[in-house]
Amino acid sequence: MTNRGLRWLMESEWQYSVTFARGITPNELSVRLGAPPDGTKPLATAREAAGLLTDADVGVVRTGEAQGWAFAAEYGEAAGTRHDVLRRVSRGGVEAVNLDPQPFHPPPVFSYAADGELLCSFGLGEEQRRWGSRPDLLLAELEAAGIILPTGDCLTVSGARHGLRIALSLGVIERRFGMSLPRDPLENGRLPLAVVGGEPSFP
């Protein structure tokens, strides 16, 4: 797998939600997720961000931009996984995507909103069950990739190949939206950090 795109998430310890937005800056994305509109954004590593999760209601994001999409990696309380928040992120002609790994309650979930409306959402690995105002938005791509079979059922694989199966769906999303997530900055770099919920204690 590549270190760009989205599919590399399945070969990493993917435990954080990612919200993307096309049409606004990374700073505006953090604001729409709950951050205050002003203030200096310190730079933080993934480990430092996770270290701020001292209470259950704390949520922080690390933000950046890739291929025309602002992104926010969400640690702790992940507002972008909520459809009402994703609709808010997408208001004013913005497109918004959330990828929620659901580490404690699989499967991972994809959601897409535009101009204040949730258009399509489904579980990765359960793509035959889709919802939103346009649930079949990605149906042609899912069928072309062999994820949705001619019977309408969903491609199933053995447990050993489950990660590759989910990566196949991430590849469909990656191509459909021209979306990428830079691996090295997220895993090893320092990105702007904003608090979107609770009151973490900074060291």
Side-chain angles (χ1 to χ4, degrees):
M1 295 182 196
T2 178
N3 285 336
R4 297 187 63 80
L6 302 175
R7 288 167 287 175
W8 65 263
L9 288 167
M10 291 313 300
E11 61 180 26
S12 70
E13 295 183 7
W14 181 29
Q15 296 191 344
Y16 52 87
S17 163
V18 188
T19 297
F20 300 83
R22 182 158 57 185
I24 55 175
T25 65
N27 183 66
E28 176 61 21
L29 173 57
S30 69
V31 170
R32 293 190 183 196
L33 288 171
D38 51 9
T40 302
K41 302 288 190 299
L43 300 179
T45 65
R47 182 182 297 274
E48 289 166 342
L52 297 173
L53 308 180
T54 53
D55 293 308
D57 65 341
V58 172
V60 299
V61 297
R62 296 168 66 229
T63 59
E65 189 169 5
Q67 290 190 198
W69 289 83
F71 65 81
E74 303 181 75
Y75 305 85
E77 279 294 298
T81 62
R82 292 169 35 201
H83 287 162
D84 61 321
V85 173
L86 198 65
R87 289 193 297 266
R88 183 177 73 208
V89 169
S90 74
R91 71 179 187 271
V94 172
E95 292 180 89
V97 167
N98 178 265
L99 297 174
D100 180 6
Q102 293 273 15
F104 304 111
H105 186 64
V109 175
F110 155 81
S111 300
Y112 171 66
D115 203 18
E117 182 179 1
L118 179 70
L119 298 182
C120 183
S121 186
F122 52 78
L124 304 184
E126 297 180 358
E127 293 85 355
Q128 76 276 23
R129 292 194 288 271
R130 303 176 300 277
W131 57 94
S133 62
R134 296 180 59 191
D136 292 340
L137 183 69
L138 274 69
L139 180 58
E141 288 93 337
L142 293 169
E143 289 176 336
I147 294 168
I148 299 293
L149 305 176
T151 61
D153 296 322
C154 189
L155 174 68
T156 58
V157 297
S158 66
R161 296 179 59 83
H162 180 70
L164 292 174
R165 164 67 179 80
I166 301 304
L168 192 63
S169 293
L170 288 172
V172 167
I173 296 163
E174 172 188 318
R175 292 187 296 274
R176 175 66 170 78
F177 296 102
M179 183 175 285
S180 183
L181 196 60
R183 182 172 187 171
D184 190 59
L186 272 170
E187 293 190 338
N188 305 308
R190 303 178 71 83
L191 293 172
L193 177 121
V195 177
V196 295
E199 297 182 0
S201 298
F202 286 88

mmCIF file of all heavy atoms in Angstrom, residues 17 19 26-37 41 49 52-53 56-63 71-82 85 88-89 192-200 202:
data_model
loop_
_atom_site.group_PDB
_atom_site.id
_atom_site.type_symbol
_atom_site.label_atom_id
_atom_site.label_comp_id
_atom_site.label_asym_id
_atom_site.label_seq_id
_atom_site.Cartn_x
_atom_site.Cartn_y
_atom_site.Cartn_z
ATOM 1 N N SER A 17 -10.876 9.152 14.256
ATOM 2 C CA SER A 17 -11.730 9.599 13.174
ATOM 3 C C SER A 17 -10.994 10.647 12.343
ATOM 4 O O SER A 17 -10.154 11.388 12.858
ATOM 5 C CB SER A 17 -13.008 10.199 13.783
ATOM 6 O OG SER A 17 -13.704 10.998 12.856
ATOM 7 N N THR A 19 -12.024 13.774 9.624
ATOM 8 C CA THR A 19 -13.020 14.550 8.901
ATOM 9 C C THR A 19 -12.317 15.394 7.851
ATOM 10 O O THR A 19 -11.317 16.052 8.139
ATOM 11 C CB THR A 19 -13.822 15.457 9.859
ATOM 12 O OG1 THR A 19 -14.545 14.638 10.791
ATOM 13 C CG2 THR A 19 -14.820 16.321 9.094
ATOM 14 N N PRO A 26 -8.166 24.470 6.677
ATOM 15 C CA PRO A 26 -8.058 23.611 7.861
ATOM 16 C C PRO A 26 -8.478 24.331 9.141
ATOM 17 O O PRO A 26 -9.118 23.717 10.008
ATOM 18 C CB PRO A 26 -6.570 23.248 7.888
ATOM 19 C CG PRO A 26 -6.154 23.289 6.460
ATOM 20 C CD PRO A 26 -6.925 24.448 5.875
ATOM 21 N N ASN A 27 -8.161 25.626 9.261
ATOM 22 C CA ASN A 27 -8.560 26.364 10.457
ATOM 23 C C ASN A 27 -10.079 26.450 10.553
ATOM 24 O O ASN A 27 -10.663 26.254 11.629
ATOM 25 C CB ASN A 27 -7.948 27.757 10.452
ATOM 26 C CG ASN A 27 -8.284 28.523 11.719
ATOM 27 O OD1 ASN A 27 -7.854 28.169 12.807
ATOM 28 N ND2 ASN A 27 -9.084 29.573 11.592
ATOM 29 N N GLU A 28 -10.759 26.753 9.452
ATOM 30 C CA GLU A 28 -12.213 26.830 9.462
ATOM 31 C C GLU A 28 -12.824 25.468 9.760
ATOM 32 O O GLU A 28 -13.848 25.370 10.449
ATOM 33 C CB GLU A 28 -12.732 27.363 8.132
ATOM 34 C CG GLU A 28 -14.242 27.405 7.999
ATOM 35 C CD GLU A 28 -14.945 28.305 9.013
ATOM 36 O OE1 GLU A 28 -14.288 29.209 9.580
ATOM 37 O OE2 GLU A 28 -16.156 28.109 9.234
ATOM 38 N N LEU A 29 -12.206 24.403 9.266
ATOM 39 C CA LEU A 29 -12.698 23.066 9.588
ATOM 40 C C LEU A 29 -12.652 22.827 11.085
ATOM 41 O O LEU A 29 -13.622 22.318 11.674
ATOM 42 C CB LEU A 29 -11.871 22.015 8.848
ATOM 43 C CG LEU A 29 -12.147 20.548 9.200
ATOM 44 C CD1 LEU A 29 -13.601 20.181 8.983
ATOM 45 C CD2 LEU A 29 -11.226 19.625 8.406
ATOM 46 N N SER A 30 -11.545 23.190 11.736
ATOM 47 C CA SER A 30 -11.453 22.990 13.183
ATOM 48 C C SER A 30 -12.523 23.802 13.907
ATOM 49 O O SER A 30 -13.111 23.342 14.892
ATOM 50 C CB SER A 30 -10.049 23.332 13.697
ATOM 51 O OG SER A 30 -9.786 24.716 13.621
ATOM 52 N N VAL A 31 -12.820 25.011 13.413
ATOM 53 C CA VAL A 31 -13.864 25.843 14.028
ATOM 54 C C VAL A 31 -15.232 25.176 13.881
ATOM 55 O O VAL A 31 -16.024 25.119 14.831
ATOM 56 C CB VAL A 31 -13.865 27.257 13.415
ATOM 57 C CG1 VAL A 31 -15.087 28.054 13.865
ATOM 58 C CG2 VAL A 31 -12.586 27.998 13.796
ATOM 59 N N ARG A 32 -15.518 24.661 12.710
ATOM 60 C CA ARG A 32 -16.813 24.009 12.493
ATOM 61 C C ARG A 32 -16.950 22.715 13.291
ATOM 62 O O ARG A 32 -18.070 22.260 13.554
ATOM 63 C CB ARG A 32 -17.027 23.744 10.999
ATOM 64 C CG ARG A 32 -17.173 25.021 10.191
ATOM 65 C CD ARG A 32 -17.620 24.768 8.763
ATOM 66 N NE ARG A 32 -17.679 26.009 8.001
ATOM 67 C CZ ARG A 32 -18.317 26.161 6.843
ATOM 68 N NH1 ARG A 32 -18.954 25.125 6.306
ATOM 69 N NH2 ARG A 32 -18.313 27.317 6.209
ATOM 70 N N LEU A 33 -15.810 22.153 13.702
ATOM 71 C CA LEU A 33 -15.847 20.971 14.570
ATOM 72 C C LEU A 33 -15.935 21.335 16.050
ATOM 73 O O LEU A 33 -16.068 20.448 16.892
ATOM 74 C CB LEU A 33 -14.610 20.101 14.319
ATOM 75 C CG LEU A 33 -14.589 19.350 12.985
ATOM 76 C CD1 LEU A 33 -13.222 18.711 12.745
ATOM 77 C CD2 LEU A 33 -15.685 18.291 12.931
ATOM 78 N N GLY A 34 -15.837 22.649 16.366
ATOM 79 C CA GLY A 34 -16.026 23.067 17.748
ATOM 80 C C GLY A 34 -14.916 23.887 18.358
ATOM 81 O O GLY A 34 -15.004 24.293 19.524
ATOM 82 N N ALA A 35 -13.825 24.150 17.616
ATOM 83 C CA ALA A 35 -12.711 24.931 18.160
ATOM 84 C C ALA A 35 -13.073 26.413 18.209
ATOM 85 O O ALA A 35 -13.887 26.887 17.412
ATOM 86 C CB ALA A 35 -11.455 24.736 17.302
ATOM 87 N N PRO A 36 -12.490 27.177 19.140
ATOM 88 C CA PRO A 36 -12.715 28.622 19.151
ATOM 89 C C PRO A 36 -12.153 29.247 17.870
ATOM 90 O O PRO A 36 -11.167 28.758 17.311
ATOM 91 C CB PRO A 36 -11.948 29.094 20.394
ATOM 92 C CG PRO A 36 -10.977 28.010 20.703
ATOM 93 C CD PRO A 36 -11.593 26.738 20.222
ATOM 94 N N PRO A 37 -12.771 30.333 17.394
ATOM 95 C CA PRO A 37 -12.370 30.895 16.098
ATOM 96 C C PRO A 37 -11.037 31.612 16.091
ATOM 97 O O PRO A 37 -10.487 31.879 15.031
ATOM 98 C CB PRO A 37 -13.508 31.869 15.770
ATOM 99 C CG PRO A 37 -14.088 32.224 17.100
ATOM 100 C CD PRO A 37 -13.945 31.011 17.960
ATOM 101 N N LYS A 41 -2.532 28.202 17.121
ATOM 102 C CA LYS A 41 -2.604 26.745 17.097
ATOM 103 C C LYS A 41 -1.201 26.180 17.341
ATOM 104 O O LYS A 41 -0.316 26.323 16.498
ATOM 105 C CB LYS A 41 -3.125 26.248 15.746
ATOM 106 C CG LYS A 41 -4.502 26.784 15.340
ATOM 107 C CD LYS A 41 -5.597 26.169 16.170
ATOM 108 C CE LYS A 41 -6.982 26.495 15.613
ATOM 109 N NZ LYS A 41 -7.282 27.931 15.578
ATOM 110 N N ALA A 49 -1.062 14.716 21.173
ATOM 111 C CA ALA A 49 -2.509 14.914 21.114
ATOM 112 C C ALA A 49 -3.228 13.881 21.972
ATOM 113 O O ALA A 49 -4.136 14.220 22.750
ATOM 114 C CB ALA A 49 -2.992 14.830 19.664
ATOM 115 N N LEU A 52 -3.399 14.448 25.742
ATOM 116 C CA LEU A 52 -4.306 15.463 26.279
ATOM 117 C C LEU A 52 -5.671 14.889 26.650
ATOM 118 O O LEU A 52 -6.500 15.596 27.216
ATOM 119 C CB LEU A 52 -4.487 16.592 25.257
ATOM 120 C CG LEU A 52 -3.225 17.387 24.915
ATOM 121 C CD1 LEU A 52 -3.514 18.352 23.776
ATOM 122 C CD2 LEU A 52 -2.720 18.143 26.139
ATOM 123 N N LEU A 53 -5.917 13.637 26.349
ATOM 124 C CA LEU A 53 -7.232 13.040 26.572
ATOM 125 C C LEU A 53 -7.361 12.558 28.012
ATOM 126 O O LEU A 53 -7.467 11.371 28.304
ATOM 127 C CB LEU A 53 -7.458 11.891 25.587
ATOM 128 C CG LEU A 53 -7.234 12.238 24.109
ATOM 129 C CD1 LEU A 53 -7.489 11.026 23.234
ATOM 130 C CD2 LEU A 53 -8.104 13.412 23.689
ATOM 131 N N ALA A 56 -13.128 12.135 29.703
ATOM 132 C CA ALA A 56 -13.913 11.498 28.651
ATOM 133 C C ALA A 56 -14.477 12.491 27.646
ATOM 134 O O ALA A 56 -14.735 12.127 26.499
ATOM 135 C CB ALA A 56 -15.050 10.690 29.274
ATOM 136 N N ASP A 57 -14.686 13.745 28.062
ATOM 137 C CA ASP A 57 -15.310 14.709 27.157
ATOM 138 C C ASP A 57 -14.302 15.518 26.347
ATOM 139 O O ASP A 57 -14.679 16.414 25.595
ATOM 140 C CB ASP A 57 -16.215 15.664 27.931
ATOM 141 C CG ASP A 57 -15.450 16.548 28.897
ATOM 142 O OD1 ASP A 57 -14.298 16.209 29.251
ATOM 143 O OD2 ASP A 57 -15.999 17.593 29.304
ATOM 144 N N VAL A 58 -13.031 15.229 26.473
ATOM 145 C CA VAL A 58 -12.005 15.999 25.770
ATOM 146 C C VAL A 58 -11.910 15.542 24.320
ATOM 147 O O VAL A 58 -11.887 14.345 24.027
ATOM 148 C CB VAL A 58 -10.632 15.861 26.455
ATOM 149 C CG1 VAL A 58 -9.539 16.495 25.599
ATOM 150 C CG2 VAL A 58 -10.665 16.507 27.831
ATOM 151 N N GLY A 59 -11.864 16.509 23.422
ATOM 152 C CA GLY A 59 -11.649 16.234 22.010
ATOM 153 C C GLY A 59 -10.667 17.235 21.435
ATOM 154 O O GLY A 59 -10.785 18.434 21.678
ATOM 155 N N VAL A 60 -9.666 16.752 20.725
ATOM 156 C CA VAL A 60 -8.699 17.625 20.058
ATOM 157 C C VAL A 60 -8.534 17.156 18.617
ATOM 158 O O VAL A 60 -8.796 15.992 18.293
ATOM 159 C CB VAL A 60 -7.325 17.642 20.774
ATOM 160 C CG1 VAL A 60 -7.461 18.165 22.195
ATOM 161 C CG2 VAL A 60 -6.686 16.263 20.761
ATOM 162 N N VAL A 61 -8.120 18.081 17.752
ATOM 163 C CA VAL A 61 -7.876 17.735 16.356
ATOM 164 C C VAL A 61 -6.502 18.231 15.937
ATOM 165 O O VAL A 61 -5.997 19.233 16.457
ATOM 166 C CB VAL A 61 -8.946 18.334 15.409
ATOM 167 C CG1 VAL A 61 -10.318 17.764 15.722
ATOM 168 C CG2 VAL A 61 -8.962 19.865 15.476
ATOM 169 N N ARG A 62 -5.889 17.500 15.022
ATOM 170 C CA ARG A 62 -4.682 17.945 14.328
ATOM 171 C C ARG A 62 -5.073 18.120 12.868
ATOM 172 O O ARG A 62 -5.690 17.229 12.280
ATOM 173 C CB ARG A 62 -3.556 16.923 14.469
ATOM 174 C CG ARG A 62 -3.082 16.737 15.897
ATOM 175 C CD ARG A 62 -2.190 15.510 16.028
ATOM 176 N NE ARG A 62 -0.930 15.655 15.303
ATOM 177 C CZ ARG A 62 -0.435 14.725 14.472
ATOM 178 N NH1 ARG A 62 -1.106 13.598 14.241
ATOM 179 N NH2 ARG A 62 0.719 14.913 13.866
ATOM 180 N N THR A 63 -4.733 19.269 12.294
ATOM 181 C CA THR A 63 -5.264 19.613 10.988
ATOM 182 C C THR A 63 -4.177 19.776 9.938
ATOM 183 O O THR A 63 -3.007 20.014 10.248
ATOM 184 C CB THR A 63 -6.086 20.910 11.065
ATOM 185 O OG1 THR A 63 -5.241 21.968 11.551
ATOM 186 C CG2 THR A 63 -7.288 20.745 11.978
ATOM 187 N N PHE A 71 -8.141 18.491 6.256
ATOM 188 C CA PHE A 71 -8.456 17.309 7.053
ATOM 189 C C PHE A 71 -8.218 17.593 8.530
ATOM 190 O O PHE A 71 -7.402 18.433 8.896
ATOM 191 C CB PHE A 71 -7.648 16.085 6.605
ATOM 192 C CG PHE A 71 -6.160 16.183 6.802
ATOM 193 C CD1 PHE A 71 -5.581 15.928 8.037
ATOM 194 C CD2 PHE A 71 -5.324 16.518 5.743
ATOM 195 C CE1 PHE A 71 -4.205 16.008 8.228
ATOM 196 C CE2 PHE A 71 -3.952 16.600 5.907
ATOM 197 C CZ PHE A 71 -3.393 16.354 7.151
ATOM 198 N N ALA A 72 -8.949 16.877 9.369
ATOM 199 C CA ALA A 72 -8.792 16.964 10.821
ATOM 200 C C ALA A 72 -8.784 15.555 11.381
ATOM 201 O O ALA A 72 -9.787 14.835 11.285
ATOM 202 C CB ALA A 72 -9.927 17.772 11.453
ATOM 203 N N ALA A 73 -7.640 15.143 11.922
ATOM 204 C CA ALA A 73 -7.561 13.883 12.648
ATOM 205 C C ALA A 73 -8.095 14.150 14.049
ATOM 206 O O ALA A 73 -7.597 15.025 14.754
ATOM 207 C CB ALA A 73 -6.126 13.381 12.696
ATOM 208 N N GLU A 74 -9.125 13.412 14.460
ATOM 209 C CA GLU A 74 -9.837 13.679 15.706
ATOM 210 C C GLU A 74 -9.470 12.651 16.779
ATOM 211 O O GLU A 74 -9.597 11.450 16.563
ATOM 212 C CB GLU A 74 -11.344 13.649 15.466
ATOM 213 C CG GLU A 74 -11.808 14.625 14.388
ATOM 214 C CD GLU A 74 -13.308 14.571 14.205
ATOM 215 O OE1 GLU A 74 -14.026 15.102 15.073
ATOM 216 O OE2 GLU A 74 -13.762 13.990 13.212
ATOM 217 N N TYR A 75 -9.057 13.144 17.927
ATOM 218 C CA TYR A 75 -8.664 12.299 19.051
ATOM 219 C C TYR A 75 -9.620 12.548 20.212
ATOM 220 O O TYR A 75 -9.961 13.687 20.515
ATOM 221 C CB TYR A 75 -7.230 12.624 19.483
ATOM 222 C CG TYR A 75 -6.227 12.520 18.353
ATOM 223 C CD1 TYR A 75 -6.021 13.596 17.489
ATOM 224 C CD2 TYR A 75 -5.501 11.346 18.138
ATOM 225 C CE1 TYR A 75 -5.111 13.511 16.443
ATOM 226 C CE2 TYR A 75 -4.592 11.252 17.089
ATOM 227 C CZ TYR A 75 -4.403 12.340 16.251
ATOM 228 O OH TYR A 75 -3.512 12.261 15.213
ATOM 229 N N GLY A 76 -10.029 11.471 20.873
ATOM 230 C CA GLY A 76 -10.987 11.614 21.963
ATOM 231 C C GLY A 76 -12.393 11.765 21.405
ATOM 232 O O GLY A 76 -12.802 11.043 20.495
ATOM 233 N N GLU A 77 -13.158 12.724 21.940
ATOM 234 C CA GLU A 77 -14.511 12.984 21.463
ATOM 235 C C GLU A 77 -14.448 13.463 20.016
ATOM 236 O O GLU A 77 -13.956 14.555 19.730
ATOM 237 C CB GLU A 77 -15.196 14.035 22.341
ATOM 238 C CG GLU A 77 -15.764 13.493 23.625
ATOM 239 C CD GLU A 77 -16.915 12.526 23.377
ATOM 240 O OE1 GLU A 77 -17.938 12.942 22.798
ATOM 241 O OE2 GLU A 77 -16.778 11.348 23.747
ATOM 242 N N ALA A 78 -14.939 12.657 19.090
ATOM 243 C CA ALA A 78 -14.819 12.951 17.659
ATOM 244 C C ALA A 78 -16.146 13.485 17.139
ATOM 245 O O ALA A 78 -17.042 12.721 16.776
ATOM 246 C CB ALA A 78 -14.400 11.696 16.902
ATOM 247 N N ALA A 79 -16.261 14.810 17.075
ATOM 248 C CA ALA A 79 -17.518 15.433 16.672
ATOM 249 C C ALA A 79 -17.890 15.085 15.237
ATOM 250 O O ALA A 79 -19.070 14.951 14.902
ATOM 251 C CB ALA A 79 -17.417 16.952 16.837
ATOM 252 N N GLY A 80 -16.888 14.929 14.372
ATOM 253 C CA GLY A 80 -17.171 14.692 12.961
ATOM 254 C C GLY A 80 -17.896 13.397 12.673
ATOM 255 O O GLY A 80 -18.462 13.227 11.593
ATOM 256 N N THR A 81 -17.911 12.471 13.617
ATOM 257 C CA THR A 81 -18.635 11.214 13.417
ATOM 258 C C THR A 81 -20.144 11.408 13.543
ATOM 259 O O THR A 81 -20.905 10.543 13.115
ATOM 260 C CB THR A 81 -18.193 10.153 14.436
ATOM 261 O OG1 THR A 81 -18.503 10.611 15.764
ATOM 262 C CG2 THR A 81 -16.691 9.886 14.339
ATOM 263 N N ARG A 82 -20.560 12.540 14.120
ATOM 264 C CA ARG A 82 -21.993 12.818 14.282
ATOM 265 C C ARG A 82 -22.519 13.469 13.009
ATOM 266 O O ARG A 82 -21.951 14.437 12.506
ATOM 267 C CB ARG A 82 -22.226 13.732 15.477
ATOM 268 C CG ARG A 82 -21.921 13.095 16.806
ATOM 269 C CD ARG A 82 -21.916 14.092 17.938
ATOM 270 N NE ARG A 82 -22.899 15.145 17.786
ATOM 271 C CZ ARG A 82 -22.826 16.321 18.412
ATOM 272 N NH1 ARG A 82 -21.802 16.593 19.206
ATOM 273 N NH2 ARG A 82 -23.755 17.228 18.235
ATOM 274 N N VAL A 85 -23.172 17.224 13.049
ATOM 275 C CA VAL A 85 -21.953 18.024 12.949
ATOM 276 C C VAL A 85 -21.416 17.991 11.526
ATOM 277 O O VAL A 85 -20.989 19.022 10.982
ATOM 278 C CB VAL A 85 -20.890 17.533 13.950
ATOM 279 C CG1 VAL A 85 -19.572 18.256 13.732
ATOM 280 C CG2 VAL A 85 -21.373 17.734 15.381
ATOM 281 N N ARG A 88 -23.205 20.348 9.488
ATOM 282 C CA ARG A 88 -22.772 21.711 9.802
ATOM 283 C C ARG A 88 -21.442 22.034 9.128
ATOM 284 O O ARG A 88 -21.258 23.129 8.594
ATOM 285 C CB ARG A 88 -22.634 21.876 11.318
ATOM 286 C CG ARG A 88 -22.257 23.290 11.764
ATOM 287 C CD ARG A 88 -22.209 23.364 13.274
ATOM 288 N NE ARG A 88 -21.040 22.686 13.816
ATOM 289 C CZ ARG A 88 -20.987 22.137 15.023
ATOM 290 N NH1 ARG A 88 -22.057 22.148 15.807
ATOM 291 N NH2 ARG A 88 -19.878 21.563 15.456
ATOM 292 N N VAL A 89 -20.527 21.090 9.135
ATOM 293 C CA VAL A 89 -19.244 21.292 8.462
ATOM 294 C C VAL A 89 -19.461 21.589 6.983
ATOM 295 O O VAL A 89 -18.755 22.408 6.382
ATOM 296 C CB VAL A 89 -18.335 20.053 8.635
ATOM 297 C CG1 VAL A 89 -17.112 20.138 7.728
ATOM 298 C CG2 VAL A 89 -17.900 19.906 10.091
ATOM 299 N N PRO A 192 -0.812 21.457 13.324
ATOM 300 C CA PRO A 192 -1.574 22.379 14.170
ATOM 301 C C PRO A 192 -2.645 21.656 14.974
ATOM 302 O O PRO A 192 -3.380 20.827 14.434
ATOM 303 C CB PRO A 192 -2.190 23.353 13.157
ATOM 304 C CG PRO A 192 -1.272 23.303 11.986
ATOM 305 C CD PRO A 192 -0.791 21.876 11.916
ATOM 306 N N LEU A 193 -2.721 21.978 16.253
ATOM 307 C CA LEU A 193 -3.649 21.314 17.174
ATOM 308 C C LEU A 193 -4.682 22.304 17.682
ATOM 309 O O LEU A 193 -4.352 23.446 18.002
ATOM 310 C CB LEU A 193 -2.883 20.716 18.346
ATOM 311 C CG LEU A 193 -3.764 20.047 19.410
ATOM 312 C CD1 LEU A 193 -3.401 18.581 19.571
ATOM 313 C CD2 LEU A 193 -3.621 20.764 20.747
ATOM 314 N N ALA A 194 -5.928 21.872 17.769
ATOM 315 C CA ALA A 194 -6.998 22.706 18.321
ATOM 316 C C ALA A 194 -7.873 21.860 19.237
ATOM 317 O O ALA A 194 -8.089 20.668 18.994
ATOM 318 C CB ALA A 194 -7.846 23.312 17.201
ATOM 319 N N VAL A 195 -8.370 22.479 20.293
ATOM 320 C CA VAL A 195 -9.289 21.820 21.219
ATOM 321 C C VAL A 195 -10.714 22.034 20.719
ATOM 322 O O VAL A 195 -11.143 23.171 20.479
ATOM 323 C CB VAL A 195 -9.141 22.387 22.641
ATOM 324 C CG1 VAL A 195 -10.151 21.737 23.589
ATOM 325 C CG2 VAL A 195 -7.716 22.182 23.160
ATOM 326 N N VAL A 196 -11.460 20.956 20.546
ATOM 327 C CA VAL A 196 -12.833 21.064 20.053
ATOM 328 C C VAL A 196 -13.853 20.615 21.093
ATOM 329 O O VAL A 196 -15.055 20.698 20.858
ATOM 330 C CB VAL A 196 -13.009 20.246 18.750
ATOM 331 C CG1 VAL A 196 -12.171 20.835 17.629
ATOM 332 C CG2 VAL A 196 -12.672 18.774 18.958
ATOM 333 N N GLY A 197 -13.389 20.152 22.253
ATOM 334 C CA GLY A 197 -14.312 19.741 23.296
ATOM 335 C C GLY A 197 -13.597 19.537 24.618
ATOM 336 O O GLY A 197 -12.453 19.091 24.644
ATOM 337 N N GLY A 198 -14.273 19.875 25.711
ATOM 338 C CA GLY A 198 -13.695 19.696 27.041
ATOM 339 C C GLY A 198 -12.574 20.675 27.313
ATOM 340 O O GLY A 198 -12.334 21.635 26.580
ATOM 341 N N GLU A 199 -11.857 20.420 28.398
ATOM 342 C CA GLU A 199 -10.771 21.292 28.826
ATOM 343 C C GLU A 199 -9.549 20.454 29.180
ATOM 344 O O GLU A 199 -9.318 20.119 30.349
ATOM 345 C CB GLU A 199 -11.195 22.131 30.035
ATOM 346 C CG GLU A 199 -12.345 23.087 29.728
ATOM 347 C CD GLU A 199 -12.718 23.939 30.926
ATOM 348 O OE1 GLU A 199 -12.081 23.792 32.001
ATOM 349 O OE2 GLU A 199 -13.637 24.762 30.795
ATOM 350 N N PRO A 200 -8.751 20.103 28.178
ATOM 351 C CA PRO A 200 -7.549 19.307 28.472
ATOM 352 C C PRO A 200 -6.528 20.103 29.271
ATOM 353 O O PRO A 200 -6.493 21.337 29.186
ATOM 354 C CB PRO A 200 -7.016 18.972 27.083
ATOM 355 C CG PRO A 200 -7.518 20.059 26.200
ATOM 356 C CD PRO A 200 -8.867 20.426 26.762
ATOM 357 N N PHE A 202 -2.908 21.099 29.525
ATOM 358 C CA PHE A 202 -1.668 21.121 28.769
ATOM 359 C C PHE A 202 -0.479 21.036 29.718
ATOM 360 O O PHE A 202 -0.507 21.641 30.788
ATOM 361 C CB PHE A 202 -1.566 22.407 27.937
ATOM 362 C CG PHE A 202 -2.472 22.412 26.733
ATOM 363 C CD1 PHE A 202 -3.784 22.872 26.848
ATOM 364 C CD2 PHE A 202 -2.037 21.943 25.516
ATOM 365 C CE1 PHE A 202 -4.628 22.874 25.754
ATOM 366 C CE2 PHE A 202 -2.874 21.942 24.409
ATOM 367 C CZ PHE A 202 -4.173 22.418 24.533
#
